[in-house]
Amino acid sequence: MSATKWCMSVGLVLGIVLAFGGWYALLLAVLFGLVGLLVGMAAEGRLDFQTMFGRASSR
């Protein structure tokens, strides 16, 4: 599926959440979407948490 179709689908879902759940539900849906995006990027290997937070030093 192209990026345009994905973005349109996400926009429609967020619009439905806003219409039926209000602003709090919309913000919660966006927050969970961002968490899902980060987890998906980490699973695909496009996001490396070790470089972001540094490695623990061995003693």
Side-chain angles (χ1 to χ4, degrees):
M1 188 182 283
S2 69
T4 303
K5 290 180 182 178
W6 274 109
C7 292
M8 182 183 66
S9 300
V10 169
L12 288 172
V13 169
L14 290 177
I16 291 169
V17 169
L18 177 61
F20 292 106
W23 286 104
Y24 180 72
L26 175 69
L27 292 176
L28 196 61
V30 169
L31 176 70
F32 280 116
L34 289 175
V35 169
L37 175 69
L38 291 175
V39 169
M41 288 176 71
E44 289 179 349
R46 293 180 16 195
L47 183 66
D48 188 13
F49 288 114
Q50 289 182 349
T51 59
M52 292 174 68
F53 298 113
R55 294 184 177 154
S57 61
S58 59
R59 296 181 184 199

